[in-house]
Amino acid sequence: MQIMKTKYLVTTVALLALAYSLAFAYDPSPLQDFCVAVKDPASAFLQGPKLASANDFFFLGLNVPRDTSNPLGSNVTTVNVDNLVGLNTLGISLARVDFAPYGLNPPHIHPRGTEFLIVLEGTLYVGFVMSNGDGNRLFTKMLYPGDVFVFPIGLIHFQLNVGKTNAVAFAGLSSQNPGVIIIANAVFRSDPKIKPNVLAKDFQVDKNLVEHLQKQLWWDNN
Ligand SMILES: *[C@@H]1O[C@H](CO)[C@@H](O)[C@H](O)[C@H]1NC(C)=O
């Protein structure tokens, strides 16, 4: 009797653990070699493995520097399931980040992916901020060619080119669709706008300053 009870308990715990992992899972274990997405969502979402070809797993041109002549002085080229359909269900993506001298990849979040960054050229001052519960500790580092830095999933992070020359970095992200939320854009350029008195109280500034900020052109470097 006692043994039976233990068995039930073990089964229940195992089931609960499974339900828990399903409920919080994303970019799940693929269960097949691959599951190529199709570009036209109106037709069907997936393409059978027999119809897949090498081009579904191919992307070219990441050697080409991007145009950084924008107000931020940076340009992010993302390679994710949207433009490389073979990544579907595989839990990984990548980006090339170009920086003009003193260019900034502004404070942002990837809601679904941890990122690691490898610097190929230039000098980057990078950092991320921990959650409130951890005192919003700031971690920063100066990165030189060959250096790698990790930005944990969901934390605000940034990269600034502190050099007089262009900088280039590549990033790997632990999601086929990590997403990006640039903090300034989300706060000051939402559509429709957040009521100025909300932001005035939050940032402890005058409503006029908030309205001024909401009128600025908040660049999206992605
Ligand atoms: C990034 O560069 C490409 C080509 O170099 C350009 O077409 C694109 O508009 C640039 N994006 C931004 C956000 O500046």
Side-chain angles (χ1 to χ4, degrees), residues 194-203 205 207 210-211 214:
I194 298 174
K195 275 192 197 309
N197 48 348
V198 171
L199 298 179
K201 204 167 187 78
D202 182 13
F203 289 96
V205 295
K207 227 176 89 179
V210 171
E211 280 161 357
Q214 287 181 324

Side-chain angles (χ1 to χ4, degrees), residues 64-72 74-77 98 219-222:
V64 181
R66 269 33 184 197
D67 180 2
T68 54
S69 61
N70 60 59
L72 288 169
S74 66
N75 191 327
V76 181
T77 310
D98 284 279
W219 197 263
D220 181 355
N221 65 343
N222 279 252

Side-chain angles (χ1 to χ4, degrees), residues 89-103:
T89 76
L90 298 184
I92 193 170
S93 61
L94 96 112
R96 173 187 170 116
V97 193
D98 284 279
F99 299 86
Y102 310 114

Side-chain angles (χ1 to χ4, degrees), residues 113-176:
T114 288
E115 165 178 349
F116 70 77
L117 187 87
I118 173 163
V119 179
L120 262 64
E121 275 174 49
T123 308
L124 297 178
Y125 167 72
V126 308
F128 68 81
V129 184
M130 286 186 78
S131 304
N132 293 34
D134 295 301
N136 297 128
R137 275 184 69 199
L138 171 68
F139 291 69
T140 63
K141 195 85 186 160
M142 201 66 86
L143 301 183
Y144 303 93
D147 291 355
V148 170
F149 199 74
V150 175
F151 304 103
I153 182 169
L155 300 187
I156 294 181
H157 61 284
F158 59 84
Q159 299 115 23
L160 175 70
N161 179 7
V162 291
K164 291 195 264 258
T165 57
N166 290 341
V168 186
F170 280 80
L173 295 115
S174 64
S175 167
Q176 67 179 39

Side-chain angles (χ1 to χ4, degrees), residues 44-62:
F45 184 55
L46 304 169
Q47 179 171 296
K50 292 216 174 80
L51 294 175
S53 73
N55 279 340
D56 293 329
F57 302 91
F58 176 69
F59 187 92
L60 84 178
L62 228 50

